[in-house]
Amino acid sequence: MIKAYVLVVTNPGATRDVVKAVSDITGVVEMHEVMGPYDIVIEIEVESLKDVPPILSDKIRSIPGIESTTSLVTFPEE
C-alpha cells in the first residue's frame, strides 16, 4: 500500500469548493483544512506507486481554485 500526502494552497475564498471537489476523488482517504502556509492536507492511499501521478496531475491539480500543491509520497511497505 502506498500513501501520499498532498499539501494544497488554494486561492482566497476557494478552500471550501476545493474540499468538495477533492472529496469525490477515488483514493482520497482523509482530508483536513489547516492553518499555516497550506490550506488543505489530503491523504491518498493506493495499491501501487504508479497510481499516484494520475490522481495528482489529472484529478487534484486540475481543480479550479488550487494555486499550488506539494506532494509527499511514502516509501513502499515491505
Side-chain angles (χ1 to χ4, degrees), residues 33-52:
E33 290 184 52
V34 296
M35 291 190 297
Y38 301 99
D39 300 304
I40 304 167
V41 176
I42 302 166
E43 182 180 346
I44 298 169
E45 193 172 276
V46 292
E47 289 296 320
S48 170
L49 187 57
K50 67 181 167 100
D51 297 327
V52 174

Side-chain angles (χ1 to χ4, degrees), residues 17-76:
D17 292 333
V18 171
V19 166
K20 287 177 189 173
V22 170
S23 66
D24 294 331
I25 296 173
T26 301
V28 171
V29 295
E30 200 166 330
M31 178 174 31
H32 301 279
E33 290 184 52
V34 296
M35 291 190 297
Y38 301 99
D39 300 304
I40 304 167
V41 176
I42 302 166
E43 182 180 346
I44 298 169
E45 193 172 276
V46 292
E47 289 296 320
S48 170
L49 187 57
K50 67 181 167 100
D51 297 327
V52 174
I55 294 172
L56 294 176
S57 61
D58 299 341
K59 296 181 180 174
I60 293 176
R61 290 185 182 141
S62 66
I63 295 172
I66 290 182
E67 189 174 298
S68 67
T69 63
T70 300
S71 303
L72 308 165
V73 181
T74 62
F75 290 113

